[in-house]
Amino acid sequence: MAPQTRNQFPKVVIERDSDSEPSSSEEEEVEDQEEEDEEEEEVVESENRERKEEVLDEKKKGKAPITISLKKVCKVCKKVGHEAGFKGATYIDCPMKPCFLCKMPGHTTVTCPHRVATEHGVIPAPRRNTSNPLEYVFERQLRPGILPIKPAFIIPDRVNCAVIRYHSRRVTCLEFHPKNNNILLSGDKKGQVGIWDFAKVHEKIVYGNVHSCIVNNMRFKPMNDDSIYAASSDGTISCTDLETGISLSLMNLNPGGWQGPSSWRMLYGMDVNSEKGVVLVADNFGFLYLVDTRSNNKTGEAILIHKKGSKVVGLHCNPVQPELVLSCGNDHFARIWDMRRMEAGSSLYNLAHKRVVNSAYFSPLSGSKILTTSQDNRLRIWDSIFGNLESPSREIVHSHDFNRHLTPFKAEWDPKDPSESLAVIGRYISENFNGAALHPIDFIDISTGQLVAEVMDPNITTISPVNKLHPRDDVLATGSSRSLFIWKPKEESEPVEEKDERKIIVCGRAEKKRSRKSGNRSDDDSDDDKFASKGSKLKSKKPEWKLTRCSNKVNR
DNA sequence: ATGGCATGGCTCC
DNA sequence: TGGAGCCCCTGCCA
């Protein structure tokens, strides 16, 4: 498939110093110099000094100012002749390195075809057929439940954004209340759990003593929405009453306390099988534990489900057949299991990835698709768990590979999309939006690889790795560094549409109007909460953002 | 204003 | 097999 251009996307402008050599010769120069770089590196400093002195001399003599070209040293590869880093709001890659987005050599991120179009190289659905009998049953019984035609995505031209910051460390997980539409739960790296009523904006509760370090996953207790389970790197699972904040520890993997990093167990992946009344949780050594929700006790022995000593970061029970379990972890695999006979090596399928798998989820309605996020900068989709699972149905190159200092990116399904084709994921790489380097949150049509929409705010300059779509409303929740955001369509701009059509929240891309200077900061310097429409909030700050309506890019 | 640092996976030996 | 050192666009704080 030929690369397609997103015409309407902002052009990436590479600013070159006026005093630098023409670009054509620059690349060649780099090639030529490669061998002699070693020596030149040492010379460059003194050379620069000399040239500067020359300029000063010229100035003293009262001659007309001249422009000179100083040797550049790349901070990435330490070689001379080019520079990597931000030029304004655009990041220039080191040409000596392979593309950071798709990991292929021969080009840099700026010219990567996957950056130009997320659908580049993606083979769209329909998937391949197999003659597997299970797939036949699937086609007969489940397929009719999945809408073959995607609903129209009605895209408002603006969104309201509510901002709150009550976490003192970065946000690690989010969960919407199963019944109360305005309640968002958040966990952080410090072990705190927050409850935010985003309809009332200022109303929040923070429980500081739920865990002593990272809250990795939270799930509401089935049949009792006043309690949540949380798995933490402190090695415990907690069950916390949201009204009182009283927390009960269901399991502690480190009863002997800290004996050094080689023995300290941390809990990552977690899910609840409500039919069986079991909490499934997995640790950083590859083991799965089952906890009975009635007795609040561990049942059975730990089961090795991933490579021994590797972290199991995700667990998900199939929404239709809860005994089917999907796990993923640092051994580069996502694995499908039957809970009824789980033991080391008994996985039904092993889905290979090239790098660490950050998340793996069954599709939310039929449970028949799988979506994974891997640190090789690819989303992978398997269209049918009953079909051929040898290789994914599609791979979508998407920037989400940064792993240090950030909560891992996870692509999340839209639980409201009847066609099970919409996913949301934050973007690591920034783009130059009218002079501001912003990290958007992407809505991707996983059946085609197309970028349906991107959400960003000129005041939010941080990366947003944690995202969750509301199970019922057109609301997106985002965790970005220590802040939480709620994005909603702006009411007055909501188009009138047929009732069975659903909308997604999207922020139009801003037209160029404002300087970089006014675009910085705000991730909330005060601890005040804010709720503002883009229009009103930004008007007071004087930036003139003109928000354009995003076109509906979904193929129908 | 600016440097230090927390921190995790990967590669190399 | 395990420890040292490297790394790419971080974000916060002293």
Side-chain angles (χ1 to χ4, degrees):
Chain A
M1 188 176 152
Q4 291 174 19
T5 311
R6 297 176 302 186
N7 292 326
Q8 52 287 63
F9 271 40
K11 278 184 189 160
V12 179
V13 181
I14 304 167
E15 294 175 18
R16 292 192 181 277
D17 291 337
S18 55
D19 56 359
S20 67
E21 302 96 328
S23 58
S24 55
S25 66
E26 207 168 325
E27 288 268 325
E28 285 161 28
E29 188 189 69
V30 169
E31 300 275 317
D32 296 339
Q33 277 179 349
E34 234 180 332
E35 294 109 56
E36 41 186 7
D37 275 344
E38 292 300 311
E39 303 95 302
E40 224 173 302
E41 245 173 82
E42 309 190 354
V43 190
V44 73
E45 267 301 303
S46 57
E47 205 175 309
N48 283 351
R49 229 174 294 131
E50 278 169 28
R51 289 188 184 214
K52 277 175 193 161
E53 279 162 16
E54 268 175 41
V55 177
L56 285 175
D57 288 343
E58 300 278 332
K59 279 187 179 168
K60 276 180 202 162
K61 288 172 197 164
K63 285 185 183 172
I66 55 163
T67 51
I68 54 159
S69 79
L70 296 176
K71 285 279 178 191
K72 297 166 176 178
V73 180
C74 174
K75 65 176 180 184
V76 175
C77 70
K78 312 285 188 290
K79 287 185 176 165
V80 185
H82 64 276
E83 269 180 315
F86 274 106
K87 283 263 190 287
T90 304
Y91 189 86
I92 309 300
D93 277 337
C94 169
M96 297 292 126
K97 299 271 180 172
C99 174
F100 288 119
L101 178 54
C102 71
K103 314 293 183 198
M104 307 301 277
H107 63 271
T108 60
T109 313
V110 173
T111 52
C112 179
H114 297 282
R115 184 170 190 179
V116 176
T118 50
E119 64 268 32
H120 175 76
V122 175
I123 302 156
R127 83 223 132 69
R128 299 151 302 177
N129 280 317
T130 64
S131 12
N132 182 330
L134 269 176
E135 182 163 33
Y136 177 74
V137 174
F138 166 75
E139 288 295 338
R140 288 284 300 273
Q141 297 186 352
L142 286 176
R143 178 69 70 183
I146 309 171
L147 282 190
I149 298 171
K150 278 169 281 189
F153 297 116
I154 306 300
I155 298 175
D157 28 4
R158 293 181 182 200
V159 287
N160 286 331
C161 180
V163 182
I164 197 167
R165 190 166 76 176
Y166 49 71
H167 286 289
S168 57
R169 290 290 181 271
R170 60 167 213 253
V171 174
T172 53
C173 55
L174 294 174
E175 206 68 21
F176 280 105
H177 194 281
K179 294 220 176 74
N180 189 327
N181 285 346
N182 302 322
I183 300 292
L184 178 71
L185 268 76
S186 53
D188 72 17
K189 190 169 159 286
K190 205 180 175 189
Q192 300 189 327
V193 171
I195 307 160
W196 181 23
D197 184 341
F198 53 85
K200 296 175 191 158
V201 194
H202 293 273
E203 284 206 13
K204 85 252 180 184
I205 306 169
V206 184
Y207 294 128
N209 298 320
V210 180
H211 287 286
S212 59
C213 61
I214 313 179
V215 180
N216 289 307
N217 263 300
M218 293 185 295
R219 288 286 185 280
F220 272 87
K221 190 170 182 173
M223 322 304 281
N224 175 7
D225 356 316
D226 291 332
S227 297
I228 52 149
Y229 296 113
S232 165
S233 291
D234 64 11
T236 68
I237 313 180
S238 60
C239 183
T240 306
D241 186 307
L242 297 182
E243 290 286 318
T244 61
I246 294 170
S247 202
L248 180 73
S249 181
L250 307 190
M251 185 174 79
N252 182 6
L253 292 185
N254 303 301
W258 179 256
Q259 307 280 326
S262 58
S263 62
W264 184 260
R265 290 181 178 266
M266 303 187 261
L267 291 173
Y268 284 84
M270 182 187 66
D271 202 5
V272 182
N273 180 334
S274 51
E275 273 186 19
K276 287 200 154 54
V278 167
V279 177
L280 298 90
V281 67
D283 70 6
N284 58 329
F285 289 102
F287 286 91
L288 172 83
Y289 306 82
L290 302 177
V291 178
D292 188 278
T293 56
R294 279 172 286 264
S295 68
N296 284 341
N297 272 316
K298 194 171 88 155
T299 61
E301 289 301 306
I303 307 160
L304 183 69
I305 59 168
H306 279 262
K307 185 181 169 187
K308 199 167 187 181
S310 75
K311 194 192 284 179
V312 183
V313 291
L315 285 174
H316 189 213
C317 295
N318 190 289
V320 176
Q321 295 170 277
E323 63 273 13
L324 265 189
V325 176
L326 182 59
S327 65
C328 64
N330 281 20
D331 64 351
H332 301 193
F333 278 96
R335 303 180 196 272
I336 305 174
W337 305 83
D338 185 337
M339 243 191 96
R340 289 164 298 193
R341 49 176 207 90
M342 253 179 130
E343 53 193 51
S346 73
S347 54
L348 303 176
Y349 295 102
N350 300 312
L351 312 177
H353 293 68
K354 292 214 173 63
R355 290 288 189 90
V356 167
V357 189
N358 290 348
S359 69
Y361 295 115
F362 289 115
S363 56
L365 301 172
S366 73
S368 63
K369 301 183 186 182
I370 287 174
L371 169 63
T372 68
T373 308
S374 171
Q375 289 194 16
D376 65 355
N377 263 357
R378 278 152 179 84
L379 305 177
R380 286 179 177 77
I381 299 101
W382 283 263
D383 275 335
S384 169
I385 53 171
F386 305 107
N388 183 357
L389 293 174
E390 286 294 306
S391 61
S393 309
R394 274 175 301 291
E395 287 185 7
I396 301 167
V397 174
H398 180 265
S399 170
H400 53 251
D401 64 340
F402 197 65
N403 52 49
R404 273 189 316 175
H405 322 307
L406 285 177
T407 306
F409 290 87
K410 297 176 176 183
E412 302 276 348
W413 294 96
D414 180 0
K416 304 177 294 296
D417 174 18
S419 67
E420 296 186 325
S421 57
L422 191 63
V424 65
I425 181 167
R427 197 190 306 172
Y428 167 57
I429 202 165
S430 71
E431 283 199 61
N432 182 349
F433 290 99
N434 317 304
L438 302 179
H439 306 267
I441 300 152
D442 292 332
F443 285 76
I444 292 174
D445 183 340
I446 54 113
S447 68
T448 62
Q450 284 175 319
L451 181 66
V452 176
E454 44 191 1
V455 176
M456 87 290 292
D457 183 303
N459 290 302
I460 298 168
T461 54
T462 48
I463 295 171
S464 305
V466 192
N467 294 284
K468 213 112 209 197
L469 287 163
H470 198 284
R472 293 165 297 278
D473 293 341
D474 290 321
V475 166
L476 164 68
T478 295
S480 186
S481 188
R482 295 154 55 177
S483 301
L484 298 174
F485 310 120
I486 285 284
W487 312 81
K488 285 181 179 184
K490 196 173 164 70
E491 277 169 31
E492 53 263 47
S493 68
E494 263 191 42
V496 182
E497 74 272 336
E498 291 171 33
K499 278 208 170 138
D500 55 347
E501 286 186 331
R502 56 165 307 280
K503 348 169 205 24
I504 62 165
I505 310 155
V506 125
C507 168
R509 289 182 313 283
E511 295 285 329
K512 174 151 188 170
K513 276 280 180 167
R514 99 204 208 323
S515 69
R516 166 122 172 97
K517 205 179 157 201
S518 55
N520 52 17
R521 279 313 308 172
S522 87
D523 162 22
D524 221 279
D525 284 322
S526 69
D527 271 350
D528 288 340
D529 317 327
K530 294 170 186 169
F531 194 93
S533 75
K534 278 188 173 308
S536 62
K537 178 176 162 190
L538 293 177
K539 219 169 265 174
S540 65
K541 285 190 156 193
K542 275 276 174 195
E544 292 176 69
W545 280 84
K546 187 180 148 209
L547 293 161
T548 52
R549 173 179 281 273
C550 280
S551 60
N552 183 349
K553 296 182 194 155
V554 179
N555 286 341
R556 311 242 279 141

